[in-house]
Amino acid sequence: MTTPPASASEHDVGRTGVLFSMCLALVLVVASVSSVNLALTGISVDLGTTSSQLTWVADGYTVALAALVLPFGALGDRIGRRRLLLVGTVVFGLAALGAAAAQSPQALIGSRVLMGLGAAMIMPGTLSTITAVFPPDKRARAVSVWAGFATSGAVLGMLGCGLILEWSSWRAAFVATAVLAAVAFVAALVLAPNTSDPEEAVIDAPGFVLSALGIGALIFGIVDGAEAGWTTPGAIGGLAVALVSLGVFTWWEMRTRRPM
């Protein structure tokens, strides 16, 4: 007995599910960039943070995400994008619960950095999965929807966090983020295929380290310079490390046989 081929409408329904799950995961990542800003006052009062610590509560997530999104994108191409995305949502959700339970500024900053690590596992796979699943004649529209959610995710995050803060504390906002991560995990597990491109993916370890160090140091230097002044050791050191690392990264990628 043979299984009849899927109809065009069944394919469309399946692709719609993929698009939904990937956009949900994307909103999880993007919303967490902006939503924490509304909670900073409550965090400061509750944990007694300094101005510098409060800055890193907000920006530790961004630094980790920016530093690791490129190497994790290549890793997902090799081992499977959904597989890495699922691991990322678990890391993200557990880190959000850790943030909700944090009793010190240092613990909260560490949890936010771990959330950024999970986000870097999630984000590149969302677009790559969409482009792999949708045929060329439908791909542009799907990518446009993805881009729309990438743009609106920050607004949705702020609205959601603001609504939660009207009724509860900043800790509840992180719990809600963990719940959304669980929903995103189930949606990706059920609706998305595990696409990959192992022939094109390159595990370029020096490139991974240099790109992560360079981008992370660049964001660190910018954040520290804006907060403490551009002549501080943190700002100067971060920008100097970024300049050297990205320069060596460029040199390496131009000479290695299989660049990232």
Side-chain angles (χ1 to χ4, degrees), residues 176-187:
T177 299
V179 172
L180 182 59
V183 173
F185 177 93
V186 173

Side-chain angles (χ1 to χ4, degrees), residues 56 59 62-64 66-67 214-225 238-239 242:
W56 285 106
D59 293 325
T62 309
V63 171
I215 296 173
L218 176 64
I219 302 300
F220 177 91
I222 292 172
V223 170
D224 194 78
L239 295 176

Side-chain angles (χ1 to χ4, degrees), residues 74-114:
L75 184 61
D77 291 341
R78 170 62 68 88
I79 69 172
R81 293 150 186 153
R82 186 187 67 171
R83 183 176 292 118
L84 188 63
L85 186 149
L86 292 176
V87 173
T89 56
V90 171
V91 172
F92 191 100
L94 292 177
L97 290 177
Q103 299 299 317
S104 68
Q106 294 81 4
L108 182 55
I109 292 169
S111 295
R112 285 284 291 172
V113 171
L114 285 177

Side-chain angles (χ1 to χ4, degrees), residues 183-201:
V183 173
F185 177 93
V186 173
L189 181 65
V190 173
L191 299 174
N194 188 36
T195 64
S196 63
D197 192 4
E199 293 182 359
E200 294 296 328

Side-chain angles (χ1 to χ4, degrees), residues 210 214 240-255:
L210 289 167
V241 170
L243 181 63
V244 172
S245 299
L246 293 176
V248 176
F249 171 77
T250 302
W251 174 85
W252 170 257
E253 294 297 299
M254 292 177 65
R255 283 160 177 79

